[in-house]
Amino acid sequence: MVLYACLPDGRDPTAAMAFLRHHAEARDWVVRAALYDTAPITTTCTDREAWPKVERLVEGWEVRGVVAGSEDEIACHPPAKAQLRTWLIANRAFAAYFPASAGQNPTLTHLQ
């Protein structure tokens, strides 16, 4: 798994990554990388510094999924969300979202 966060509001990346790592490891997912961006969430993924690294990990089959706080941290507009989901399916990957305010149950975007 790759942990990913978009933190434009100055949140502590160490705390954000620890939160995501806790949830990934609780599911016995192996974390291969922890990456974050500080660009506004309205910035396209390709214009961010860390997201292209996430893409390379997934497309190179080094990881099978992305763990993030929310889908909005990756893609905030409906067309971008659709593109993200299509990309996940094309790469036989999934995303799990663990909002800091929502208990232990993730939102999953899966492949079938």
Side-chain angles (χ1 to χ4, degrees), residues 6 13 15 17 20 45 49-50 53 83 91 101 104 107 110:
C6 187
M17 292 297 109
L20 295 175
C45 291
E49 185 176 328
K53 296 172 188 170
Q83 184 177 13
N91 285 284
S101 61
Q104 299 289 326
T107 301
H110 283 293

Side-chain angles (χ1 to χ4, degrees), residues 1 21 23-31 67 94 96 98 106 108:
M1 299 299 290
R21 182 177 300 276
H23 286 287
E25 290 177 348
R27 284 149 184 85
D28 293 325
W29 295 335
V30 176
V31 176
V67 175
F94 72 96
F98 297 92
L108 297 172

Side-chain angles (χ1 to χ4, degrees), residues 55 58-61 63-64 86-93 111:
E55 288 179 332
V58 171
E59 291 169 0
W61 283 67
V63 299
R64 297 308 335 130
T86 300
W87 174 77
L88 287 166
I89 291 167
N91 285 284
R92 303 181 80 69
L111 266 190

